[in-house]
Amino acid sequence: MINESALLESKTLRGSVLERTDVLDRVKALSLLPDGMHVTTAMVAAYFQVRVKAIRSLVMDHRAELEANGYHVLTGTELSAFKALSGIQSRTPSLALFSRRAVLNVAMLLRDSEVARQVRVYLLDMEYLARTQPVNNPVPTDTSSLDDRIDQRITHILGKTVVPMFNALIETSGEHRKELIALRTGVQRIERRLHQHHARLKRLEGVRDDRPAVGVMAAMDAMNGSAFERHIAKLLSRDGCTNVVVQGGHGDRGVDVIGLTADGRRLVVQCRYAPYLSISSPDIQKFIGSAKVLYSAEVALFVATCPFTPDALHLAAETGITAVHRGVLEEWSAGEPLKVLE
């Protein structure tokens, strides 16, 4: 079985598994730009929970390999056309984009990221299963049925056939007793390792509290600003809010959605569709004036598809603004109600 160190060091080994981009979403939902194909450097850093500087440094060291797998930088008219198509409002003279293959390539190069390590582990587990299947028994796309067959094979062949056979031979043999005991120990060791491998794969594939539902943010990142505001309004209605009105656009005075909570409190929401930016203190300051002064809101939500800076989070907490950042938004969209609305 290929080990993680070999994958980190060998370009050839990395190239042999680059088609398995589905493992990215199995470990953590990978949000894409509205074109449904690419992510920015900041989005890659957010996925792997590292600094943007770490991704840029990795690109400098492995640029040729990454470019071969879909990394490229847009400039000039190509950048203008992409901005118009995707709705990106970046003012930078260039924009680096990563394909899903390039993101998987990053996962196989990035050492100081727990998410990247999980991707590698999952990738190696799936590769191991593919390599150990009989030639006339292709690997099914349904990994759960594959796991069931592994369990059955382990239980029947090792547990009910091979080990009992060694037990019987050991009881009746004198001359080769030590050798048979050693062989039986080896078989039992293999059985334990296969069970451990299966348990690890189940752990990676299973639903975990810290792993959001696949596709939730990907679908949201494909929305435009108006669709995002309507999505937030639906979430509010789902959680018992009434008189919910979307008023985003010109003349909204800094508030996109208004309504009443289930217990009758005045509610206002600022929606910020910006997966490639961060919410800063000035953004919160503007919303405070609108929410508290113009609308006399009792519940004020600032909902964004991107992270909030530490200063912005601190200011929001001080002034009674509920910051619904990307992580909270993902959980809310997946069915977890916001506590402030209860």
Side-chain angles (χ1 to χ4, degrees), residues 270-339:
Q270 169 70 281
C271 301
R272 185 66 58 85
Y273 171 77
Y276 43 86
L277 297 176
S278 293
I279 303 303
S280 61
S281 292
D283 296 316
I284 299 296
Q285 290 170 9
K286 292 177 184 177
F287 182 52
I288 291 169
S290 298
K292 302 295 185 179
V293 178
L294 297 178
Y295 287 87
S296 301
E298 296 167 276
V299 177
L301 308 180
F302 197 121
V303 183
T305 59
C306 59
F308 287 65
T309 65
D311 287 343
L313 289 173
H314 182 70
L315 180 59
E318 281 188 335
T319 56
I321 303 296
T322 300
V324 183
H325 56 71
R326 191 173 180 84
V328 175
L329 175 58
E330 195 157 23
E331 294 175 354
W332 187 26
S333 296
E336 183 71 23
L338 288 180
K339 292 183 179 180

Side-chain angles (χ1 to χ4, degrees), residues 146-342:
L146 173 61
D147 293 339
D148 291 340
R149 290 209 313 276
I150 290 174
D151 283 345
Q152 293 170 5
R153 196 156 55 242
I154 291 172
T155 302
H156 180 71
I157 296 178
L158 295 181
K160 297 185 180 295
T161 304
V162 178
V163 172
M165 179 186 70
F166 274 112
N167 290 338
L169 289 172
I170 290 168
E171 289 295 326
T172 58
S173 176
E175 183 179 356
H176 301 290
R177 184 179 176 85
K178 289 184 178 180
E179 290 87 344
L180 289 169
I181 291 174
L183 286 171
R184 183 184 64 182
T185 301
V187 170
Q188 291 173 324
R189 185 183 302 116
I190 291 171
E191 182 182 4
R192 285 195 301 271
R193 290 184 65 180
L194 286 173
H195 274 300
Q196 291 168 357
H197 170 79
H198 173 69
R200 182 171 64 168
L201 186 59
K202 277 291 188 183
R203 192 165 59 249
L204 285 167
E205 286 190 318
V207 176
R208 296 200 324 246
D209 292 339
D210 62 342
R211 185 187 300 164
V214 173
V216 171
M217 289 307 297
M220 213 174 307
D221 286 339
M223 299 176 183
N224 58 29
S226 298
F228 179 59
E229 291 169 2
R230 293 194 297 272
H231 173 71
I232 298 305
K234 288 179 181 179
L235 293 179
L236 293 169
S237 297
R238 182 201 71 188
D239 290 350
C241 296
T242 60
N243 299 337
V244 177
V245 177
V246 177
Q247 60 174 25
H250 183 69
D252 62 14
R253 299 195 297 179
V255 169
D256 298 311
V257 183
I258 61 173
L260 298 174
T261 63
D263 57 2
R265 289 171 292 161
R266 287 186 298 276
L267 165 73
V268 299
V269 185
Q270 169 70 281
C271 301
R272 185 66 58 85
Y273 171 77
Y276 43 86
L277 297 176
S278 293
I279 303 303
S280 61
S281 292
D283 296 316
I284 299 296
Q285 290 170 9
K286 292 177 184 177
F287 182 52
I288 291 169
S290 298
K292 302 295 185 179
V293 178
L294 297 178
Y295 287 87
S296 301
E298 296 167 276
V299 177
L301 308 180
F302 197 121
V303 183
T305 59
C306 59
F308 287 65
T309 65
D311 287 343
L313 289 173
H314 182 70
L315 180 59
E318 281 188 335
T319 56
I321 303 296
T322 300
V324 183
H325 56 71
R326 191 173 180 84
V328 175
L329 175 58
E330 195 157 23
E331 294 175 354
W332 187 26
S333 296
E336 183 71 23
L338 288 180
K339 292 183 179 180
V340 72
L341 298 178
E342 295 177 349

